[in-house]
Amino acid sequence: MRISVAIDGPAGAGKSTIAKMVADKFNLMYINTGSMYRAITLIALENNVSYKDIDGLCKLIDDLDMEFQNNELILNGENINDKLTLPNISDNVSNYAAVPEVREKLVYLQRKMSEKYNVIMDGRDIGTVVLKDAPFKFYLTASPEERAKRRYNELLEKNIDVDYDKILEEIKKRDYIDSHREINPLVKAKDAIEIDTTSMTIDDVVNIISSYISNNLNNIIK
């Protein structure tokens, strides 16, 4: 039986960092679904394809070769991870991710990955849509201010000149778009364990998730 772990939550809640660490602990393939939507946004912007151009977007996606190697996304043979957190991508990703046809194509790819490997996925609709039957589901959250501070510090470390207030505004905007989109909005799965990471360290959250998985893993494998 394949093991699957679903981690959902809003932008900046620490999903990616925590999922990578849990993946290492349990030898799981880490699938960052958010980076997949960011990759679509990146390639669409580079090719001047609007999120309103459905046919153009679908053709772009069908022509892409997307895979994960060592927890990082490889697009058409190129490691593009450094480009995915740039402000221009963050400002536009929710619009592209809200397109039903885009979500349908990426959800299909994500499910195929989970059928082939033991996986941990993080995103906005993993526990509710992509891995609805996952035995382990977690919903990570934090205050908008804390999430904006984390993103601000992350960009500063990359020597990117950013404004905290603008990041906070964008975080709140993304929260609204993600939770109000018509197709697969961001919601907590009924059977997910919610963890507020606002005042917690990364290790604290990893330990909570890891302990839960360890204590229940044998029941899942049986």
Side-chain angles (χ1 to χ4, degrees):
M1 178 180 178
R2 293 293 177 195
I3 301 301
S4 55
V5 181
I7 298 183
D8 289 305
K15 301 185 301 296
S16 299
T17 301
I18 289 161
K20 287 179 184 178
M21 295 174 70
V22 175
D24 289 340
K25 279 178 173 285
F26 294 95
N27 195 28
L28 305 173
M29 174 179 283
Y30 168 56
I31 308 295
N32 182 340
T33 64
S35 70
M36 296 173 73
Y37 289 100
R38 285 176 173 267
I40 300 303
T41 303
L42 172 67
I43 202 74
L45 292 176
E46 288 181 346
N47 287 273
N48 296 314
V49 177
S50 167
Y51 66 90
K52 297 179 181 179
D53 182 0
I54 307 303
D55 290 340
L57 276 175
C58 289
K59 185 177 187 309
L60 269 182
I61 296 172
D62 290 340
D63 290 341
L64 293 178
D65 179 22
M66 193 181 299
E67 64 177 338
F68 284 88
Q69 295 179 7
N70 299 319
N71 295 335
E72 296 193 328
L73 180 62
I74 308 300
L75 184 68
N76 295 335
E78 178 188 357
N79 187 322
I80 59 168
N81 285 266
D82 287 344
K83 300 179 182 179
L84 298 182
T85 55
L86 294 175
N88 189 40
I89 305 302
S90 297
D91 290 347
N92 288 279
V93 64
S94 287
N95 288 327
Y96 285 93
V99 177
E101 290 81 358
V102 172
R103 302 201 70 82
E104 181 180 351
K105 287 181 176 294
L106 291 192
V107 166
Y108 173 79
L109 292 176
Q110 293 155 10
R111 285 176 175 161
K112 295 299 288 184
M113 292 176 184
S114 73
E115 292 170 4
K116 191 174 181 179
Y117 304 101
N118 291 322
V119 301
I120 180 168
M121 291 192 191
D122 71 277
R124 305 288 194 280
D125 59 354
I126 310 305
T128 55
V129 177
V130 182
L131 300 178
K132 292 188 291 186
D133 298 324
F136 303 108
K137 296 181 183 180
F138 303 91
Y139 186 89
L140 306 186
T141 188
S143 69
E145 292 77 14
E146 174 63 23
R147 290 184 281 129
K149 183 175 73 173
R150 293 172 183 173
R151 185 57 54 85
Y152 175 79
N153 290 333
E154 176 187 359
L155 293 172
L156 280 185
E157 289 178 0
K158 296 180 179 180
N159 295 317
I160 298 174
D161 187 21
V162 288
D163 178 76
Y164 169 82
D165 290 331
K166 182 179 179 182
I167 292 177
L168 177 58
E169 179 183 353
E170 183 60 31
I171 287 263
K172 291 179 178 179
K173 177 183 175 183
R174 287 187 62 192
D175 285 351
Y176 182 85
I177 293 175
D178 290 342
S179 59
H180 287 80
R181 64 177 175 238
E182 183 177 352
I183 304 297
N184 304 341
L186 169 64
V187 293
K188 173 183 171 294
K190 292 181 179 179
D191 54 345
I193 297 173
E194 182 169 349
I195 304 173
D196 187 334
T197 70
T198 301
S199 58
M200 299 176 68
T201 67
I202 291 173
D203 286 340
D204 288 338
V205 182
V206 170
N207 288 337
I208 290 174
I209 293 175
S210 298
S211 293
Y212 183 85
I213 293 175
S214 295
N215 291 337
N216 293 277
L217 192 56
N218 288 336
N219 294 329
I220 300 300
I221 295 176
K222 288 179 181 179

